[in-house]
């Protein structure tokens, strides 16, 4: 691997060049790097895996974007029309690879950044501690390690006694290993809902969906109008107004599934979004629940330490062959920047996008919200705003 610019590691060539370091080669990091390059700012993307878009490559195979192709492209390069309206996982990966080549981005793979702190010389900029003993100095830093970084697997009481297979949804690829099995999917976000449908279509003998809080379910598109466009239109409106409008839309467009064990939610749609719960885009869940192929049940509470049975919140006992936990992810920023006092109680950056905390000037974050208007669209908008901010505030490093 070529020497990294700004390296203070005596084993690696040291230069006076202090680029902007972008941590993470997913859509957010690549978009930020391209926007910086377009403004004449050198950006070096550091990626811990051996390829760009690593998290996308690891997603389950049937995944398609819930946002439209036209509203999901990154700055400077549209997604090809041949990808269709709802872009597949594999095509997202192809697009990211093409994006790197098109913009001639500078990517360094196999480098994991473990800690970011103010420049060691006391001047402007940041010091990055990375794998291989590397110590890198950048004029600014963009953290783009992703909203879905580290799988969160609850420690259910008695889970050690469960005799079946227990895995996080991050490890799920397709339904083939579960053909003929009784499967309990825990969590009814977009991932849990889609995996449940995938299992039924892939030959699982029985699929139950453990639900703690009834979700808002939206049609991905109604009469050709994608729900994403509605999300864009209402994003700046008062929460209460959107809650009321969302309730009307859901009642008109989505059937009442209460008789099938999936009641309508009792809290507002946008209120839930502000709490971090994005509505479920229907890609077959409604029909699967109506037909009884996917059975909503109460939340998973624990496992019986003696029998290994799964115990639900209503006391029901189940003996599934496999439990798949679609229980979300952690941002996992504590080790990287937790010492800078810029994270909130939930581990999210207190300042996002083009703005930086007074405690950490020049340290930007992108991709740590889950917007109703579409993640890729907002990453693109963030990238341009971050690039403007960095290029405006960037100063030349002192000559030594």
């Amino acid at each position: 691997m070529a020497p990294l610019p700004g390296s203070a590691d005596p084993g690696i060539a040291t230069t006076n060049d202090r680029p902007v370091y972008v941590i993470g080669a997913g859509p957010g990091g690549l978009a930020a790097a391209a926007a910086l390059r377009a403004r004449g700012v050198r950006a070096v993307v550091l990626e811990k895996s051996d390829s760009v878009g690593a998290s996308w490559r690891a997603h389950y195979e049937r995944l398609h974007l819930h946002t439209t192709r036209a509203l999901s492209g990154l700055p400077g390069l549209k997604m090809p029309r041949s990808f269709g309206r709802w872009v597949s996982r594999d095509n997202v990966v192809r697009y990211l690879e093409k994006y790197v080549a098109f913009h001639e981005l500078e990517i360094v793979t196999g480098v994991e950044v473990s800690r970011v702190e103010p420049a060691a010389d006391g001047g402007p900029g940041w010091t990055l501690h990375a794998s291989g003993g590397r110590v890198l100095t950048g004029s600014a830093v963009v953290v783009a390690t992703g909203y879905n970084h580290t799988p969160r697997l609850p420690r259910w009481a008695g889970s050690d006694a469960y005799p079946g297979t227990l895995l996080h949804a991050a490890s799920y690829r397709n339904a083939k290993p579960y053909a003929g099995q009784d499967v309990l999917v825990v969590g009814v976000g977009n991932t849990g809902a889609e995996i449940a449908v995938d299992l039924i279509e892939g030959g699982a003998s029985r699929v139950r969906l453990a639900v703690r809080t009834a979700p808002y379910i939206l049609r991905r598109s109604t009469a050709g109008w994608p729900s994403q466009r509605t999300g864009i239109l209402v994003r700046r409106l008062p929460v209460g107004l959107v809650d009321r409008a969302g309730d009307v839309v859901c009642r008109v467009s989505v059937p009442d599934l209460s008789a099938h064990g999936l009641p309508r939610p009792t809290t507002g749609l946008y209120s839930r979004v502000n709490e971090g719960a994005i509505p479920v885009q229907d890609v077959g869940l409604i029909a699967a629940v109506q037909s009884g192929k996917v059975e909503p049940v109460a939340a998973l509470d624990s496992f019986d330490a003696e029998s290994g049975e799964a115990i639900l919140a209503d006391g029901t006992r189940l003996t599934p062959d496999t439990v798949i936990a679609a229980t979300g992810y952690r941002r996992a920023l504590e080790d990287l920047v937790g010492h800078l006092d810029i994270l909130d109680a939930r581990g999210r950056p207190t300042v996002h996008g083009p703005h930086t905390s007074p405690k950490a000037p020049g340290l930007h974050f992108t991709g740590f919200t889950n917007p109703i208007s579409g993640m890729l669209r907002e990453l693109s908008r963030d990238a341009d705003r971050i690039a403007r901010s960095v290029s405006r505030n960037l100063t030349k490093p002192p000559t030594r």
Side-chain angles (χ1 to χ4, degrees), residues 41-268:
V41 177
R42 186 183 180 195
V44 177
V45 182
L46 305 177
E47 168 56 42
K48 69 178 181 179
S49 72
D50 60 0
S51 59
V52 301
S55 62
W56 275 94
R57 296 172 193 272
H59 285 316
Y60 50 94
E61 294 173 3
R62 73 170 282 151
L63 178 65
H64 285 67
L65 291 180
H66 293 156
T67 55
T68 66
R69 170 187 50 78
L71 295 173
S72 299
L74 302 180
L77 183 65
K78 294 181 179 180
M79 286 189 171
R81 292 179 63 88
S82 60
F83 284 0
R85 193 181 198 194
W86 311 107
V87 182
S88 70
R89 179 202 70 168
D90 290 347
N91 279 336
V92 171
V93 172
R94 292 187 184 98
Y95 172 73
L96 296 179
E97 292 172 339
K98 182 179 180 180
Y99 194 81
V100 170
F102 181 83
H103 287 294
E104 299 180 338
L105 301 183
E106 193 171 350
I107 313 292
V108 183
T109 59
V111 175
E112 182 173 8
V113 180
S114 58
R115 185 178 176 89
V116 176
E117 55 190 20
D121 60 9
W126 292 89
T127 296
L128 290 74
H129 298 268
S131 53
R134 299 174 179 84
V135 181
L136 312 171
T137 304
S139 57
V141 174
V142 180
V143 180
T145 49
Y147 189 82
N148 295 335
H149 185 276
T150 301
R152 185 177 65 82
L153 184 63
R155 295 183 62 84
W156 287 290
S159 60
D160 291 343
Y162 172 58
T165 301
L166 172 61
L167 69 151
H168 190 274
S171 299
Y172 179 89
R173 296 294 173 267
N174 57 57
K176 291 179 181 178
Y178 315 101
Q181 288 193 10
D182 180 337
V183 184
L184 175 66
V185 180
V186 181
V188 68
N190 279 293
T191 297
E194 191 157 1
I195 286 177
V197 173
D198 194 43
L199 287 164
I200 283 298
E201 294 179 354
S205 63
R206 187 173 190 178
V207 175
R208 282 171 283 206
L209 186 58
V211 180
R212 182 174 300 279
T213 303
Y216 263 95
I217 303 175
L218 298 176
R219 300 288 187 183
R220 189 166 61 173
S221 178
T222 302
W225 178 265
S227 63
Q228 180 191 7
R229 288 197 178 276
T230 302
I232 293 170
L233 291 175
V234 306
R235 190 179 183 197
R236 302 299 181 187
L237 296 179
V239 172
L241 176 61
V242 180
D243 280 350
R244 291 190 293 275
D247 186 61
V248 171
V249 170
C250 288
R251 289 181 181 278
V252 170
S253 62
V254 176
D256 187 355
L257 301 174
S258 299
H260 302 279
L262 196 58
R264 293 191 184 277
T266 56
T267 54

Side-chain angles (χ1 to χ4, degrees), residues 20-23 113 115-119 124-128 138-145 333-343 349-366 368 386 389-390 393-394:
V20 175
Y21 279 112
V22 179
I23 306 174
V113 180
R115 185 178 176 89
V116 176
E117 55 190 20
W126 292 89
T127 296
L128 290 74
S139 57
V141 174
V142 180
V143 180
T145 49
L333 291 170
E334 289 78 8
D335 290 343
L336 187 69
V337 298
H339 55 286
L340 300 174
D341 191 28
I342 55 173
L343 302 179
T350 54
V351 181
H352 194 268
H355 306 292
T356 61
S357 168
K359 301 175 183 178
L363 179 60
H364 296 266
F365 294 86
T366 184
F368 293 95
I386 289 171
S389 176
V390 170
N393 297 323
L394 202 58

